Amino acid sequence: MGSKLCCNKDWVGIQIRFTVQGMFTLAEVASLNDIQPTYRILKPWWDVFMDYLAVVMLMVAIFAGTMQLTKDQVVCLPVLQSAVNSKAQPSISGNADVTPGFEATTDQDKEMATRTVSFESAPTITPDIPLSGTTYSQLQSTVSNQEPKNEKQDSSGRKTNLDYQQYVFINQMCYHLALPWYSKYFPYLALIHTIILMVSSNFWFKYPKTCSKIEHFVSILGKCFESPWTTKALSETACEDSEENKQRLTGAQSLPKHVSTSSDEGSPSASTPMITKTGFKFSAEKPVIEVPSMTILDKKDGEQAKALFEKVRKFRAHVEDSDLIYKLYVVQTVIKTVKFIFILCYTANFVNEISFEHNCKPKVEHLTGYKEFECTHNMAYMLKKLLISYISLICVYGFVCLYTLFWLFRIPLKEYSFEKVREESSFSDIPDVKNDFAFLLHMVDQYDQLYSKRFGVFLSEVSENKLREISLNHEWTFEKLRQHVSRNAQDKQELHLFMLSGVPDAVFDLTDLDVLKLELIPEAKIPAKISQMTNLQELHLYHCPAKVEQTAFSFLRDNLRCLHVKFTDVAEIPAWVYLLKNLRELYLIGNLNSENNKMIGLESLRELRHLKILHVKSNLTKVPTNITDVAPHLTKLIIHNDGTKLVVLNSLKKMMNVAELELQNCELERIPHAIFSLSNLQDLDLKSNSIRTIEEVISFQHLKRLTCLKLWHNKIVNIPSSITHVKNLESLYLSNNKLESLPGAVFSLQKLRCLDVSYNSIAAIPLEIGLLQNLQHLHITGNKVDILPKQLFKCVKLRTLSLGQNCITSIPDKIGQLVQLTHLELKGNCLDRLPAMLGQCRLLRKSGLVVEDHLFDTLPSEVKEILNQDTSITFANGI
């Protein structure tokens, strides 16, 4: 029995140890103190020291907790008193033996008693049978008389008449009643306090609103430190200083000229020639071989440096607006200091309360027969030593926190000056920074001041201009630009430059270029060399407020025919755009309806006396009256309004020579009456509006030249019969509306060649369709048509017939009469076969037949051969 209990005890201890290890390990808890390796540059020595102290305190707490969970116990023995002896005691049966391991301790040898009351051998447990008073008195008298003799025979102590369960019960009762609470919970409190300190120490690295800024800063700082441009810029500065010293010693007269060149470079004007002047600066007057080699950056280094300038600029604008990082660091330091004071104040009072011996008086006399117990706490000495060690560590930690607070308030950390960097380099324009940006740089200086010096290079506009001048022309050579030249849809040679730091000089050597597109080039400058491009007639400026030299402007004014300008605000439109007197086409894409500018920029359009086409994609609420200044010669006006409701259109009445008018996405609900005054109008497009009724269509009869009417992507429910009065109409687009039928009046338009009613709710094709003898293109895709009338096939001039996504069940054989058919769409219907008469459509080929594969296979083989005759276009492309 004793062996079995011993095994059970060992098994319990193993389980406890595995449970503790399963809860957490030191590495898992210490990970709370971990930060990204790149953040170490923001960790001054005091933060690093406190991190190590926190790890040591964590080890102390976990060690104490592990020892307490696995080894901590209280061993209690009853105190024998006459008051207790007079009461009834549990009896011992005649054949039951009380285990020597449960004997009372004597005052002379408590240590021997502690060893005696161990649980390594299990006693034989018997029921407790009460003895009579006489029996107990006799037994007590015998024990008293023979006590010296028993001590000689059995030196393990006096018998207490308690069994194993009673001892376990008493030990557990006294553990909770007699032990001070701090002896039981010190490891857990130390662990909690340490975790709080660890979290507080690195909270600014984890808080979302500061973590992103810190991560971005560290990333940029590391790239700035390692960038080859930083080394080259500082090296060139040192080289320039040494050269200036030489010239000063030798009395060279080239110094004023050199200084003048540097001044021009630092503040380039709109008329300053481009990169070629500054490109020769480093080698023109200095016969030093090493200097020109420094000015050359490979493509990767140059692109990285240019990207870093932009990142630093944006990061500075973002971080300088607030001081959240600084405040959070101060708050977490204050919290750690307050925490240190709190821990020290209450912990010092409990050091002396941890003791080895305890007196326990549980109210369990009715269960054990004893009032008082003497207990020992086996972990008392260890816990006391660990507590003293913990208090010592906390004191050191607190003094470091106090030093941190002293450093935080000793100097203004929300201001940072690059004065030393400006003195040591030629970049005198490096600005001072403030708020969180300044605080982060102060923290970096505690790690290594070289980081801030290299970082300052990327805050200088002079440095950025040097980089652009050095790398742009080196990267974009004439051969590379020639490779980017392509042929556009109009078969013109076109060059598109996107997101460059400037316009390379080699661009203006492409004398045969027809179209030049400059997009997202904020510092674009057009020099006089553009006059070499005699074929240039079209220029695109997308978010590119280009500056033009006087000679270049004269060339553009006389030769440029088409200009596209895309902008965010009207102020971005270069002023010289409104002075291009020979301009024929102008495309303006951007916000013109700003409350600040009141469309002032468009007033200059009156100077564009040869303008024929004006395309405005904006958010206008009315057609500006100043557009009418070009009305006498304007033939095409396009307004795409991006969903803003166009309310006032009276200005259109003055545009008598307009032949093509597009008012798209203007939220129009009716056809504007101003349009009916445009007697020369030939093409009207009102796409993507909110037109519900077109009763005004009768007024189109006054527009004798109107041949194309596009009312697609609206909300039109029906077509009025008055449309028959628009006799010259050749193209009618009504797709993506809400039509349910087609009136017969539509089919009285004898000149109609194109009719598009796709994606409506039309259920049937009227029989009058056969009257349109000139019809060449019919689109009824996406409706509810189920039967094709035979009259449809009287339109023998049909070349395009789109019938897809309907409910058609069969195709009449009369389709063979459409001998000019080149495109037939039948996909998405309820067909089970195709008519063999398709073979008579001699211009129809497989590429122009849009149908499911299995339906195509139903055709006779000879018809398939006819359709497959055209091998230049594959079936896959046609489908």
Side-chain angles (χ1 to χ4, degrees):
M1 184 68 179
S3 175
K4 182 177 180 181
L5 286 175
C6 180
C7 295
N8 288 340
K9 178 199 170 191
D10 294 340
W11 182 85
V12 170
I14 294 173
Q15 287 291 97
I16 292 175
R17 281 189 286 271
F18 273 98
T19 303
V20 173
Q21 293 177 359
M23 290 166 56
F24 53 77
T25 62
L26 178 61
E28 291 172 347
V29 181
S31 65
L32 297 173
N33 209 31
D34 289 344
I35 59 170
Q36 296 185 21
T38 53
Y39 288 178
R40 67 182 184 276
I41 60 176
L42 295 176
K43 299 281 285 186
W45 69 265
W46 52 82
D47 278 351
V48 176
F49 187 54
M50 283 191 288
D51 287 345
Y52 283 114
L53 287 176
V55 173
V56 176
M57 289 189 289
L58 183 66
M59 295 176 64
V60 170
I62 292 180
F63 176 72
T66 305
M67 292 295 293
Q68 192 171 42
L69 288 174
T70 56
K71 302 294 185 181
D72 192 28
Q73 61 181 0
V74 172
V75 178
C76 299
L77 291 176
V79 177
L80 301 179
Q81 299 175 358
S82 58
V84 177
N85 295 336
S86 62
K87 298 182 180 180
Q89 298 293 329
S91 62
I92 304 174
S93 58
N95 58 352
D97 297 330
V98 178
T99 306
F102 300 126
E103 295 169 352
T105 61
T106 63
D107 295 334
Q108 295 80 7
D109 196 4
K110 290 182 179 179
E111 184 177 359
M112 180 62 72
T114 304
R115 293 197 194 97
T116 304
V117 189
S118 64
F119 305 130
E120 294 180 356
S121 61
T124 304
I125 302 172
T126 60
D128 295 334
I129 304 176
L131 297 175
S132 62
T134 305
T135 305
Y136 180 77
S137 299
Q138 294 175 357
L139 178 60
Q140 184 65 25
S141 175
T142 305
V143 171
S144 299
N145 295 332
Q146 297 181 358
E147 184 174 357
K149 183 178 181 181
N150 290 340
E151 287 181 357
K152 295 180 181 181
Q153 295 177 355
D154 188 359
S155 62
S156 60
R158 301 167 62 181
K159 295 182 179 181
T160 60
N161 302 315
L162 295 178
D163 60 16
Y164 176 75
Q165 284 83 358
Q166 289 174 315
Y167 273 108
V168 172
F169 174 75
I170 291 299
N171 291 344
Q172 292 179 355
M173 285 289 295
C174 291
Y175 181 84
H176 294 284
L177 295 178
L179 256 64
W181 69 271
Y182 199 76
S183 297
K184 296 179 287 186
Y185 301 113
F186 155 67
Y188 311 112
L189 292 175
L191 180 62
I192 293 173
H193 292 324
T194 305
I195 291 176
I196 292 176
L197 291 175
M198 292 168 63
V199 172
S200 300
S201 182
N202 296 300
F203 186 70
W204 68 312
F205 292 127
K206 308 295 177 109
Y207 186 58
K209 291 186 179 180
T210 58
C211 175
S212 59
K213 294 180 181 180
I214 294 173
E215 184 177 359
H216 198 186
F217 173 77
V218 171
S219 174
I220 294 176
L221 186 63
K223 293 176 181 178
C224 291
F225 188 85
E226 298 174 357
S227 174
W229 169 246
T230 309
T231 304
K232 294 179 189 296
L234 296 176
S235 300
E236 289 169 5
T237 298
C239 184
E240 289 174 1
D241 293 340
S242 63
E243 287 296 326
E244 289 175 359
N245 292 333
K246 286 182 180 180
Q247 291 178 359
R248 194 177 295 110
L249 292 174
T250 58
Q253 298 180 358
S254 59
L255 179 60
K257 181 178 179 181
H258 172 70
V259 174
S260 176
T261 304
S262 299
S263 176
D264 293 341
E265 178 188 11
S267 56
S269 63
S271 61
T272 302
M274 294 292 286
I275 297 160
T276 53
K277 285 188 177 180
T278 57
F280 296 113
K281 172 184 174 183
F282 300 105
S283 58
E285 299 178 358
K286 302 170 186 177
V288 182
I289 299 177
E290 292 80 8
V291 175
S293 63
M294 290 181 187
T295 62
I296 296 177
L297 289 175
D298 58 27
K299 177 181 178 181
K300 182 178 180 181
D301 294 339
E303 289 298 325
Q304 181 191 42
K306 286 183 284 186
L308 281 176
F309 273 106
E310 185 64 23
K311 287 182 178 180
V312 170
R313 187 182 300 110
K314 292 182 178 180
F315 178 77
R316 179 190 173 193
H318 177 60
V319 176
E320 275 193 318
D321 292 339
S322 68
D323 56 353
L324 178 61
I325 298 178
Y326 171 76
K327 289 181 178 178
L328 187 60
Y329 188 83
V330 171
V331 169
Q332 73 180 29
T333 305
V334 171
I335 290 175
K336 290 189 293 184
T337 306
V338 172
K339 189 72 175 174
F340 143 72
I341 297 174
F342 171 73
I343 295 174
L344 191 62
C345 289
Y346 90 90
T347 304
N349 297 329
F350 294 108
V351 175
N352 296 326
E353 291 190 11
I354 300 178
S355 61
F356 179 75
E357 299 179 358
H358 298 278
N359 189 266
C360 178
K361 296 181 179 181
K363 297 180 181 181
V364 292
E365 185 180 357
H366 60 288
L367 297 176
T368 61
Y370 298 97
K371 282 184 177 182
E372 185 177 356
F373 294 86
E374 189 73 20
C375 302
T376 60
H377 184 202
N378 66 331
M379 286 292 296
Y381 296 121
M382 178 63 71
L383 289 178
K384 193 168 186 178
K385 293 177 182 178
L386 291 175
L387 178 58
I388 295 174
S389 302
Y390 187 78
I391 293 176
S392 303
L393 293 172
I394 282 291
C395 290
V396 177
Y397 193 95
F399 288 133
V400 178
C401 288
L402 293 175
Y403 174 82
T404 305
L405 287 176
F406 168 74
W407 179 80
L408 285 172
F409 298 108
R410 180 174 59 91
I411 58 175
L413 298 181
K414 292 196 291 183
E415 297 176 2
Y416 190 91
S417 175
F418 286 95
E419 183 177 357
K420 291 184 179 179
V421 182
R422 290 194 291 262
E423 293 175 354
E424 296 174 0
S425 67
S426 62
F427 306 129
S428 58
D429 65 325
I430 300 178
D432 295 336
V433 295
K434 58 183 180 179
N435 289 336
D436 282 343
F437 201 0
F439 175 68
L440 291 173
L441 290 173
H442 279 293
M443 296 294 284
V444 170
D445 281 348
Q446 298 298 318
Y447 184 81
D448 191 347
Q449 293 185 356
L450 184 60
Y451 277 91
S452 299
K453 181 178 180 180
R454 287 177 167 262
F455 193 78
V457 173
F458 288 89
L459 291 170
S460 169
E461 291 185 5
V462 175
S463 173
E464 187 173 8
N465 291 334
K466 281 186 178 182
L467 173 65
R468 292 172 180 171
E469 294 169 358
I470 291 172
S471 62
L472 185 65
N473 289 331
H474 171 70
E475 178 186 356
W476 291 91
T477 61
F478 178 83
E479 291 76 14
K480 181 176 180 179
L481 289 170
R482 174 61 67 183
Q483 295 175 358
H484 285 75
V485 176
S486 60
R487 291 274 180 180
N488 61 14
Q490 291 77 32
D491 197 32
K492 295 181 179 180
Q493 292 195 48
E494 176 182 300
L495 175 63
H496 186 187
L497 299 180
F498 177 75
M499 289 188 69
L500 298 182
S501 60
V503 181
D505 281 349
V507 169
F508 308 106
D509 295 328
L510 301 171
T511 56
D512 55 347
L513 201 64
D514 300 312
V515 181
L516 177 60
K517 293 184 178 181
L518 305 178
E519 184 173 0
L520 292 173
I521 304 179
E523 299 296 330
K525 297 178 182 179
I526 302 178
K529 287 182 64 177
I530 196 173
S531 58
Q532 301 175 179
M533 308 174 69
T534 55
N535 291 338
L536 185 65
Q537 294 188 351
E538 184 174 343
L539 179 63
H540 296 245
L541 301 176
Y542 293 162
H543 301 286
C544 182
K547 297 179 181 179
V548 181
E549 293 184 3
Q550 183 61 38
T551 306
F553 169 72
S554 300
F555 171 80
L556 294 175
R557 181 188 59 194
D558 297 335
N559 294 274
L560 198 62
R561 297 294 181 265
C562 180
L563 177 63
H564 295 248
V565 182
K566 189 174 183 179
F567 51 90
T568 303
D569 188 84
V570 71
E572 297 178 14
I573 302 177
W576 54 267
V577 167
Y578 305 104
L579 303 175
L580 301 174
K581 62 180 183 179
N582 287 327
L583 197 65
R584 300 292 190 272
E585 302 178 20
L586 178 59
Y587 296 81
L588 300 176
I589 305 173
N591 183 10
L592 291 175
N593 197 27
S594 173
E595 296 181 359
N596 297 328
N597 55 60
K598 301 296 183 182
M599 296 169 287
I600 295 175
L602 296 181
E603 293 179 359
S604 301
L605 288 179
R606 64 173 64 95
E607 301 294 332
L608 308 178
R609 296 185 178 89
H610 294 88
L611 193 66
K612 298 295 183 182
I613 300 175
L614 178 59
H615 183 130
V616 180
K617 185 176 182 181
S618 184
N619 55 348
L620 302 172
T621 57
K622 65 179 180 178
V623 178
T625 56
N626 49 15
I627 288 184
T628 59
D629 295 334
V630 295
H633 42 80
L634 198 66
T635 60
K636 185 176 182 180
L637 176 62
I638 302 173
I639 298 179
H640 289 195
N641 220 31
D642 292 337
T644 302
K645 189 171 185 179
L646 192 60
V647 181
V648 182
L649 298 98
N650 293 331
S651 301
L652 294 176
K653 295 180 180 180
K654 300 180 181 180
M655 312 186 76
M656 301 302 297
N657 292 322
V658 170
E660 297 182 37
L661 177 62
E662 294 185 18
L663 301 176
Q664 295 190 16
N665 209 7
C666 297
E667 289 296 318
L668 300 175
E669 297 180 357
R670 303 181 73 91
I671 300 175
H673 289 278
I675 295 176
F676 304 134
S677 302
L678 307 178
S679 56
N680 290 316
L681 192 62
Q682 299 177 14
D683 192 330
L684 177 61
D685 189 349
L686 300 177
K687 180 181 179 181
S688 299
N689 285 282
S690 301
I691 299 175
R692 299 179 180 274
T693 177
I694 54 174
E695 295 296 334
E696 303 89 346
V697 76
I698 190 173
S699 299
F700 283 133
Q701 63 182 325
H702 304 296
L703 306 180
K704 303 298 183 180
R705 298 185 179 183
L706 186 64
T707 59
C708 181
L709 179 60
K710 298 178 180 179
L711 299 172
W712 46 3
H713 296 268
N714 280 280
K715 301 177 182 180
I716 301 173
V717 178
N718 56 67
I719 303 173
S721 58
S722 57
I723 197 173
T724 187
H725 297 290
V726 194
K727 297 184 180 299
N728 293 323
L729 207 59
E730 296 180 2
S731 300
L732 180 60
Y733 295 83
L734 294 168
S735 64
N736 295 91
N737 279 281
K738 297 182 179 181
L739 299 175
E740 296 182 356
S741 62
L742 292 175
V746 174
F747 306 104
S748 63
L749 303 173
Q750 295 298 319
K751 294 184 179 181
L752 202 62
R753 292 187 301 170
C754 179
L755 177 60
D756 186 356
V757 291
S758 301
Y759 300 102
N760 283 278
S761 300
I762 300 173
I765 301 176
L767 301 179
E768 293 85 351
I769 187 70
L771 300 176
L772 300 177
Q773 292 299 310
N774 291 315
L775 192 64
Q776 296 180 10
H777 306 278
L778 177 62
H779 303 274
I780 317 181
T781 302
N783 283 278
K784 301 178 181 179
V785 177
D786 54 356
I787 298 177
L788 297 179
K790 296 180 180 180
Q791 288 78 1
L792 172 63
F793 305 104
K794 293 181 180 181
C795 304
V796 294
K797 293 184 180 181
L798 272 176
R799 302 180 57 132
T800 301
L801 181 58
S802 300
L803 302 171
Q805 301 180 36
N806 279 279
C807 303
I808 302 172
T809 57
S810 64
I811 304 296
D813 292 339
K814 289 183 176 291
I815 196 171
Q817 298 177 9
L818 306 178
V819 294
Q820 297 187 24
L821 195 65
T822 59
H823 181 86
L824 176 62
E825 180 186 352
L826 298 172
K827 194 171 184 178
N829 283 282
C830 302
L831 301 172
D832 55 1
R833 67 180 184 86
L834 294 178
M837 301 303 293
L838 283 177
Q840 297 182 9
C841 302
R842 57 178 181 270
L843 297 181
L844 185 64
R845 293 295 178 264
K846 188 175 182 180
S847 60
L849 180 60
V850 183
V851 69
E852 290 84 352
D853 294 343
H854 70 278
L855 290 178
F856 183 81
D857 294 336
T858 61
L859 291 171
S861 57
E862 58 273 12
V863 176
K864 292 181 182 179
E865 293 178 1
I866 295 174
L867 296 176
N868 286 323
Q869 286 179 2
D870 185 7
T871 57
S872 61
I873 304 177
T874 62
F875 173 70
N877 290 334
I879 296 301

